[in-house]
Amino acid sequence: MASYDRFVCIVFSILLGLAANQPTQAAEELRVDADVLLTGGTLHDGSGNPGLIGDLAIRDDKIVAIGKFTAGKIGRTIPCQGLIVAPGFIDLHNHSDSDIEVENKETGKTESTRPILAPETRSATCYLTQGCTTLVTGNCGGGALDVGDYYAQLEKQPPGINIAQLLPQGSLRAKIIGETRRAPTEKELEQMLALARQAMLDGAWGMTTGLQYVPSAYATTDEIAAIAKVVGEHDGFYASHIRNEGDTLLESVEEALEIGRRGNLPVHVSHFKASNKPNWGKVRAAAALLEHARAEGLRVTADQYPYDASSTAITAMLLPDEEREGGDSALIKRLDSPAEVGRLRPIIEKSLDARGRIMVARCPKHPTWVGKLISEIAADENRAEVEVALDIIRSGDEAGVSFSMDEADVRYVMTLPWVATASDGGVKVDDGTRPHPRSFGTFPRKIGRYALQEKVIPLEQALRSATGLAADVLGLTDRGYLRVGQYADIVVFDPQTFLDHATFESPFEPSTGVRYLLVNGQLAIDDNQLAITNAGRPLRKISTQR
């Protein structure tokens, strides 16, 4: 019996010992090794939930732990007390793939390129300093049509930021039909459908239209819906610069929804707004249309830039699409006719009156006009505004900023939980022009100014509009949230200093407040200083045909 009692005591002691050692073994198993450890920051995960103080560990290019955990071997620890840690911002509407002409310094010749591939702008510094880690290009129906080739170029010359491409319907139409105002033949439509299918197979995330612009504007609802159906079969979405953002805003929203229904794919309204003073307030009725469609089960979202001014070609501001057939060169040639000028003058005068103030952003033939309002130029030269406008149109390669939106509308739109933040800008450096400041200030303006300073929306909602919501719209599943296994695209910013400084007078002023920025796990901004600026990647959608 004594031997039995002794045996029981020995077994019990062994079990106690194993139990005592279990926490130590568990703790060892839970130790997290990391290349970078962010400690003590307020973590906003992109879901719209309130932030929580905790740590975040990064190994290689992925997030490996979040919250409370035991650190193992750490390459670098970055204290983040008092700072906000969030997913890197995703700019859903960007034009950094639009063709530009640049001078080759070696040959002295002018060459066509895309800003995100050009040496001066490939780093995307103006977006890194806003906290952005991904740009979505191919918007408003324009940009790189050969998605496979575009991604290959980005791999060969990595930019400072990730790039996701959308199929630009205007570029598609231009390739097959040109800038002529007519319907496609059956053969031409089949060619467009084949190119759309190839773009989706090459990794495009959806399709865009710019229905204010030539030649996108010349496509009917039927034509767009046919292409959208192909995009929908590959789980893409439809993003539209709708046909009219002013007088026929509601009808244009209805057209976008109809295309979504017929194409069986989600609908996204780009830079959601109401333009021209007579239409101020109409955006609420447009929002009601979109919310009704959402209630019916259609996936519908929108984006906005937080400014009361828009920017595009002055020609597109002042002339309807039917007057721009053939493109700028054809229009300029038509203006040699006095009769044509006489016919167009009242149309331009009406547009000038509706738009209000228009600032010249770019006009190579009249560089002294850049940064001035058309009304100011007319007063200085004792001329009619319409005559100045005609000279601008004749110059070609022009752009303007139109102060035609209502600040109350801007504030209302940003409160809608299905509206993401997007710049509608592109990577830029100071070149003597006066572009819209949104390329340098969109995200800190929305988050720092409107959310943190003016309390128009909660910080959590402002951050979600730039992160998780944007990822959901795009269909991006491995970025946009702070989650284990997600790619380490992360912004760390100071809520006290995160602000935009770019203005319409000085549009190239960089934003402040981003303390650290990681793109695919690499520090693009390190303690307020630019560091690695070629860590971006092309982001291909894996096509799954329905």
Side-chain angles (χ1 to χ4, degrees), residues 60-176:
D60 297 326
D61 58 0
K62 298 285 184 68
I63 297 172
V64 293
I66 305 172
K68 297 186 181 299
F69 52 87
T70 303
K73 295 178 181 179
I74 304 299
R76 179 177 174 187
T77 299
I78 298 177
C80 297
Q81 286 77 9
L83 305 178
I84 291 173
V85 180
F89 305 142
I90 300 169
D91 186 0
L92 273 175
H93 191 106
N94 197 275
H95 290 283
S96 293
D97 66 325
S98 298
D99 281 329
I100 58 170
E101 299 296 321
V102 297
E103 182 181 346
N104 187 315
K105 294 181 180 179
E106 294 181 0
T107 65
K109 295 181 179 180
T110 300
E111 299 176 352
S112 179
T113 188
R114 305 186 190 282
I116 197 61
L117 295 168
E120 295 82 3
T121 47
R122 190 164 59 232
S123 64
T125 300
C126 61
Y127 282 95
L128 297 179
T129 52
Q130 294 185 60
C132 291
T133 53
T134 298
L135 305 180
V136 182
T137 53
N139 280 288
C140 289
L145 176 59
D146 190 334
V147 176
D149 178 68
Y150 178 48
Y151 281 157
Q153 291 182 66
L154 290 166
E155 285 181 331
K156 185 177 179 180
Q157 299 174 314
I161 200 163
N162 299 313
I163 301 292
Q165 179 69 353
L166 302 170
L167 164 66
Q169 172 268 339
S171 299
L172 176 66
R173 198 175 209 272
K175 181 176 179 64
I176 301 302

Side-chain angles (χ1 to χ4, degrees), residues 420-443:
T421 303
S423 75
D424 197 12
V427 292
K428 300 181 188 299
V429 292
D430 193 344
D431 59 359
T433 62
R434 287 294 175 269
H436 197 296
R438 58 196 178 190
S439 296
F440 285 75
T442 290
F443 291 84

